[in-house]
Amino acid sequence: MCNKTKPVELATGHDIQVITREVYLVQPCGKSYFTEDAAINKYAHILASDEFSKLGKLTNEPDIETQLPDGTPALKRGAMLPEYIDRQADIYREIKQKLKDEKHILRLEKEWQKANSKFEDAREDAAIKYGRLQEAITSK
């Protein structure tokens, strides 16, 4: 017997449910994301950072020296540069367009397979009916 309920579901009277869903793993950083957009955004960030690193460009403004409330010195990360933000957005749009194209191709392949299957069925049906017609003509 295969019991599909998990202990957390039983303990909470099914108020918490374990649901299987897609998780997107971004390989360069080894992190997983629950939405496609979040994974693509992280990947665009990685690609933009690599690109800026290879060109020797900064991605952020210089760090700012500050103090914590207890007086301990600390560094506050500088804001991202507009040039970097624009490049990351461009990369994100490029990836989304590639993904849209891939999904369109897959949809067309499925449509073609369905149409081809109908065509093959019609061809077989036509062959059977042609055979019956020939039998009727010869037995006349």
Side-chain angles (χ1 to χ4, degrees):
M1 184 171 149
C2 183
N3 187 358
K4 293 189 177 187
T5 58
K6 303 282 184 186
V8 70
E9 293 174 333
L10 294 173
T12 61
H14 297 281
D15 288 337
I16 295 177
Q17 295 182 4
V18 178
I19 299 173
T20 304
R21 61 185 268 191
E22 290 181 333
V23 175
Y24 299 88
L25 180 67
V26 181
Q27 288 293 2
C29 68
K31 289 191 175 185
S32 58
Y33 296 87
F34 288 107
T35 65
E36 187 177 89
D37 278 343
I40 291 171
N41 189 46
K42 180 63 176 180
Y43 188 56
H45 171 70
I46 291 168
L47 293 178
S49 296
D50 287 348
E51 186 177 306
F52 271 61
S53 176
K54 287 178 184 174
L55 295 173
K57 292 182 177 181
L58 296 175
T59 58
N60 291 55
E61 293 177 0
D63 294 343
I64 302 166
E65 292 184 23
T66 61
Q67 287 187 349
L68 297 176
D70 65 357
T72 308
L75 287 177
K76 181 179 178 186
R77 181 101 169 134
M80 284 193 277
L81 295 170
E83 180 185 4
Y84 174 78
I85 293 171
D86 291 344
R87 183 61 189 136
Q88 182 182 356
D90 289 343
I91 292 172
Y92 177 85
R93 281 191 293 274
E94 290 169 8
I95 294 170
K96 287 293 277 188
Q97 185 60 46
K98 286 180 185 178
L99 182 62
K100 182 180 175 185
D101 294 344
E102 286 296 325
K103 286 180 177 180
H104 182 66
I105 289 169
L106 288 173
R107 190 170 38 256
L108 290 175
E109 284 177 348
K110 285 181 183 177
E111 288 176 12
W112 178 83
Q113 288 173 349
K114 186 176 177 182
N116 193 43
S117 176
K118 286 183 179 179
F119 173 73
E120 291 298 326
D121 291 345
R123 180 185 286 187
E124 289 174 14
D125 189 43
I128 291 169
K129 290 179 179 178
Y130 181 75
R132 288 182 187 158
L133 175 63
Q134 291 299 322
E135 283 180 22
I137 292 172
T138 56
S139 65
K140 196 175 180 186

